[in-house]
Amino acid sequence: MEEKKKGIGLIGLIGMVISSCIGSGVFAITGQLAGVASPGAVLIAWLIVGVGFLALAFSLNNLTEKRSDLHGIFSYADAGWGPLAGFISGWGYWLSAWLGNVAFATMMMSTIGCFYPAFLPGNTIPCIIIASIVMWALTYLVIRGVESAAFLNAIVMVCKVAAIAVTLIFGIFLFNAGIFTADFWGNVYDNAVAAGQYGPDAAPLGGVGTQIFNCMIIMMWCFVGIEGASVVSSRAARKTDVGKATLIGFICLMLIYVGASVLPYGYMSSTEVAALDYPALVYVFSSMAPGWGGPFISIAIIISILGSWLSFTILPAETTSEMADYKLLPASWGKLNSHNAPSMSLLIVGACTQAFLIVLLFRPTPTTSRSPCAPWPSSSPGPSQPPTRLSGACRTRTWCRPPSVSWPWPSR
């Protein structure tokens, strides 16, 4: 039996997986998928993507069991192909991990703007000041101890999953099979486009294969962070818990993502969902729960971003700290303080993030036609109001957004 040491337990490791993957993307994916596919194609795409990422989860579990002496996601490349491959793997992961935090900052400020409109642009001086305070507060929290920060992250995970569960419960009780199957493969919509009912700019969804492909491009980004438990494996109380956490986290993520993206099809038609501003789940739940649905989801988005931001404060710093132990970076990057936290790596991540937050001040101020807390009107968009399925070029890119919304809604 494996000896248990002081460190991050199974729940904390699961929290690293789920909180890393679920940021704000789960609230936007409803509209993103509705813009490119019908309900039937979405279900098939989730099946394909689910099998693929299940294989990845099993691979991470297998690597953990077979090479329990290795720590960090980059260490497998180092062991297999040498120091250069290990450095490229680790450095690339480090860059991708903390750069996403800049998008979290603007997303959080824009969401706060639904309560305080001055923050709605997301990149004004007050927004950057508040975002910087939050960023350095999270950095300080991790500097005070990675294990304690991971425990707090697990609590945040429970809160965000509970909030999403409320939305899914409403979706289950209000689910209408007739609405769900009315245009199951998108043929009705495509015929309407061909007849010119949605105007000259509307694009057909295309065949089922095309719809599945477009869905998969979006869905692939939903699992960025599934490696969270593996990255902090050196701090796990039991090394065997790392693989378990990855598998359990993946199952929870699949249930959440499939529910959040499919259930709205049984409440509104896919064409109506596609016409919603991003994040679509805000407007869907505003219609389900008039008066309080929008603010509830907006608060859930803020909590969700905080949890994911905390995870991606830990993960890049932990990566460079482990890389220093493998002599892939200077030893100072891996130096631990009295709380057993890589303070130098954390400060470097904080400084880099701060620099990019300042750069946001020189970015054009985004505009939006409607506050995230505004309830979606009950009337459905008719032929005179085209949905946001505008063109094939836009439908194949996850960064395309409706014309009325220009702030960044990160996928993770």
Side-chain angles (χ1 to χ4, degrees):
M1 184 176 179
E2 183 183 4
E3 181 182 354
K4 184 176 181 178
K5 65 178 182 179
K6 184 179 179 181
I8 304 175
L10 179 61
I11 301 300
L13 292 170
I14 294 173
M16 291 300 301
V17 174
I18 295 179
S19 278
S20 298
C21 291
I22 298 181
S24 60
V26 67
F27 302 97
I29 195 171
T30 303
Q32 289 175 325
L33 294 179
V36 301
S38 58
V42 170
L43 288 173
I44 296 175
W46 274 125
L47 178 62
I48 297 172
V49 171
V51 171
F53 275 97
L54 180 61
L56 174 60
F58 274 121
S59 297
L60 292 173
N61 181 48
N62 185 53
L63 288 169
T64 302
E65 292 180 351
K66 298 291 177 58
R67 293 301 305 268
S68 59
D69 57 311
L70 299 180
H71 306 295
I73 202 72
F74 70 91
S75 61
Y76 305 118
D78 179 78
W81 292 281
L84 178 60
F87 173 79
I88 293 174
S89 174
W91 192 252
Y93 180 78
W94 178 79
L95 282 171
S96 65
W98 67 261
L99 278 171
N101 294 344
V102 180
F104 285 147
T106 56
M107 245 295 300
M108 178 181 291
M109 293 303 105
S110 295
T111 307
I112 292 176
C114 77
F115 302 103
Y116 302 99
F119 290 91
L120 196 57
N123 69 328
T124 59
I125 291 178
C127 291
I128 299 306
I129 291 175
I130 299 299
S132 299
I133 292 173
V134 172
M135 185 269 295
W136 285 112
L138 292 175
T139 302
Y140 176 76
L141 181 64
V142 182
I143 287 177
R144 295 290 297 175
V146 174
E147 288 80 4
S148 58
F151 175 75
L152 177 60
N153 189 50
I155 296 175
V156 175
M157 173 202 68
V158 173
C159 294
K160 72 165 73 175
V161 170
I164 296 172
V166 171
T167 307
L168 299 185
I169 290 172
F170 268 74
I172 291 172
F173 280 99
L174 296 175
F175 188 85
N176 186 315
I179 296 176
F180 184 74
T181 59
D183 192 13
F184 195 69
W185 299 110
N187 295 326
V188 175
Y189 172 79
D190 282 358
N191 291 336
V193 171
Q197 295 183 26
Y198 290 113
D201 293 328
L205 294 175
V208 174
T210 300
Q211 295 179 46
I212 293 172
F213 176 78
N214 290 334
C215 284
M216 290 175 64
I217 293 176
I218 298 171
M219 293 173 179
M220 294 293 288
W221 293 98
C222 294
F223 295 94
V224 173
I226 196 172
E227 75 289 342
S230 297
V231 174
V232 296
S233 60
S234 64
R235 296 180 180 272
R238 289 193 181 95
K239 195 66 182 286
T240 55
D241 285 345
V242 174
K244 293 178 184 177
T246 302
L247 290 170
I248 294 172
F250 167 76
I251 293 171
C252 294
L253 288 168
M254 279 298 297
L255 293 173
I256 291 170
Y257 280 131
V258 173
S261 60
V262 173
L263 287 176
Y265 284 132
Y267 180 73
M268 295 179 175
S269 69
S270 59
T271 304
E272 289 178 295
V273 176
L276 300 176
D277 282 350
Y278 288 0
L281 198 60
V282 172
Y283 303 106
V284 171
F285 197 59
S286 291
S287 179
M288 290 180 176
W292 63 274
F296 176 84
I297 292 295
S298 296
I299 293 172
I301 291 175
I302 294 172
I303 294 174
S304 186
I305 292 173
L306 277 173
S308 195
W309 197 347
L310 177 58
S311 290
F312 279 98
T313 299
I314 296 173
L315 297 182
E318 193 67 16
T319 297
T320 49
S321 175
E322 294 285 354
M323 289 175 68
D325 292 342
Y326 279 74
K327 303 187 185 305
L328 300 177
L329 286 175
S332 59
W333 288 61
K335 186 176 181 181
L336 303 179
N337 61 18
S338 58
H339 300 285
N340 200 34
S343 52
M344 177 62 75
S345 288
L346 285 163
L347 290 174
I348 291 173
V349 168
C352 291
T353 307
Q354 182 66 75
F356 274 79
L357 287 176
I358 293 173
V359 170
L360 285 178
L361 290 172
F362 303 98
R363 172 175 170 265
T365 302
T367 58
T368 178
S369 64
R370 183 163 60 225
S371 163
C373 282
W376 179 253
S378 58
S379 58
S380 61
S384 61
Q385 184 182 352
T388 54
R389 295 164 171 164
L390 294 179
S391 67
C394 184
R395 288 192 289 107
T396 58
R397 290 168 172 80
T398 58
W399 57 83
C400 287
R401 296 292 180 264
S404 59
V405 175
S406 57
W407 64 54
W409 290 94
S411 296
R412 75 184 187 196

